[in-house]
Amino acid sequence: MLVVIVGPTGTGKSELSLDLAERLITAGRPAEIVNADAMQLYRGMNIGTAKLPVAERRGVPHHLLDVLDVTDEATVARYQVEARTAITGILERGAVPILVGGSGLYVSSVVYDFQFPGTDPVLRARLEAELVEQGPGLLYERLKTVDPDSAVRIGASNGRRIVRALEVVELTGAPHTAVLPGDPVYWMPAVTLGLRLPREVLTPRLDARVDRMWAAGLVEEVRGLLPAGLEGGVTASRAIGYAQALGQVRGTLAQADAVEATQQLTRRYARRQVSWFKRDPHTHWIDADAPDRVEQAAAQLP
């Protein structure tokens, strides 16, 4: 059995996963946690991703944290393989795997029987060259013609995802959305727990969280990642908070503007997370502030 904990950022998923793991361990059922936050895969990206320090993991084994350099590109297809390998290993050790995170596609790629098409280096290189030469605008117009649903979902400015969507269409002859099942089948039996908060409660918490990240030294963390190649990282350099702190380091954003932009993007991201996760009718929703949230979560487990 796989336990999955999802929900928008700032709702306490990590804390619930630890509380639930400790309850299982006390009951004689070992438990281990598998990260499903795309940005927590990166080494050194700690403050801006709210990654739990080792000392705060309560001795519970964690997997898929700090496995990528900031110059690596995080991909869902690669993550799916590595996460399922980790989960299979946990089960073979007789423990309960708890998959935790807010990256919707990453979670779904593990929980459901998603099949990802491969890649063609020559085709990818051609599309990426077009992106560099022409910018995302013309490629986006092409995507709207061949796969309008993906175009709406991706947006006009995300060149990397536009390239990938066009690559899939050329490789498979089908829209990118067609490779994701409309009626998903579970990869293995799973219980999904979702944490929720009213928007009027969550929004100020997210704003305060961003303020705390700056106070905790996010800008200094970004400076420390520059020698590791952060600016050249296709995925890491665009992470919410990191891109804005990088702008502050380079002098293109004042701190107040960097913080405000990060808060706006974080709120927008949380809304997308809510939209993604609420589509699953099998999710057991729990109020994140409920004093008995651990009891409610444990009651859903067989």
Side-chain angles (χ1 to χ4, degrees):
M1 178 194 67
L2 172 64
V3 178
V4 186
I5 299 178
V6 300
T9 186
T11 50
K13 296 183 293 296
S14 295
E15 182 180 2
L16 178 61
S17 71
L18 288 170
D19 290 341
L20 189 58
E22 287 185 329
R23 177 168 290 234
L24 288 167
I25 292 168
T26 300
R29 302 174 69 185
E32 302 181 25
I33 292 171
V34 180
N35 166 54
D37 182 309
M39 293 303 108
Q40 291 192 8
L41 297 169
Y42 286 101
R43 299 182 189 92
M45 292 177 63
N46 304 321
I47 296 172
T49 66
K51 188 185 300 173
L52 280 176
V54 174
E56 296 179 15
R57 297 176 193 171
R58 307 184 200 175
V60 178
H62 282 64
H63 303 267
L64 294 183
L65 292 170
D66 302 316
V67 295
L68 295 179
D69 293 325
V70 292
T71 52
D72 293 331
E73 181 178 359
T75 67
V76 181
R78 172 179 172 178
Y79 171 81
Q80 181 191 57
V81 173
E82 294 179 350
R84 288 183 173 181
T85 299
I87 290 166
T88 300
I90 293 168
L91 291 169
E92 289 174 348
R93 290 190 289 276
V96 177
I98 304 176
L99 182 70
V100 185
S103 298
L105 186 57
Y106 280 63
V107 172
S108 296
S109 75
V110 175
V111 174
Y112 300 113
D113 186 23
F114 274 18
Q115 302 296 322
F116 292 97
T119 185
D120 183 311
V122 175
L123 173 58
R124 172 66 70 90
R126 173 170 62 79
L127 291 169
E128 289 181 344
E130 290 182 44
L131 177 64
V132 171
E133 293 170 2
Q134 305 171 4
L138 291 178
L139 291 178
Y140 183 69
E141 291 301 318
R142 190 189 310 168
L143 183 61
K144 285 200 299 184
T145 300
V146 298
D147 188 355
D149 290 340
S150 288
V152 171
R153 188 179 69 253
I154 292 170
S157 61
N158 195 325
R160 182 174 63 88
R161 291 187 63 195
I162 292 171
V163 163
R164 176 55 179 162
L166 288 171
E167 180 187 27
V168 169
V169 171
E170 290 202 35
L171 284 174
T172 66
H176 191 203
T177 49
V179 302
L180 304 180
D183 187 15
V185 175
Y186 280 97
W187 170 57
M188 67 165 55
V191 173
T192 302
L193 308 169
L195 287 175
R196 62 187 175 191
L197 280 173
R199 181 177 295 183
E200 63 270 19
V201 175
L202 181 58
T203 295
R205 287 192 187 181
L206 295 178
D207 288 348
R209 186 182 190 183
V210 172
D211 287 331
R212 289 195 301 271
M213 287 176 176
W214 252 260
L218 178 58
V219 174
E220 288 71 26
E221 182 173 272
V222 166
R223 283 197 181 97
L225 290 170
L226 291 177
L230 176 63
E231 285 183 291
V234 175
T235 309
S237 65
R238 295 191 176 98
I240 296 175
Y242 286 86
Q244 291 69 41
L246 185 59
Q248 183 179 336
V249 169
R250 292 309 187 204
T252 59
L253 282 176
Q255 177 166 313
D257 295 332
V259 170
E260 182 180 1
T262 301
Q263 290 171 331
Q264 290 177 348
L265 290 168
T266 301
R267 294 194 296 268
R268 188 181 308 163
Y269 178 54
R271 290 195 294 271
R272 292 201 305 269
Q273 289 174 302
V274 170
S275 297
W276 181 282
F277 292 122
K278 76 178 183 181
R279 295 182 300 181
D280 186 348
H282 305 294
T283 298
H284 303 279
W285 288 100
I286 300 170
D287 291 336
D289 282 349
D292 64 341
R293 60 186 178 278
V294 182
E295 289 75 16
Q296 289 188 52
Q300 301 299 330
L301 307 187

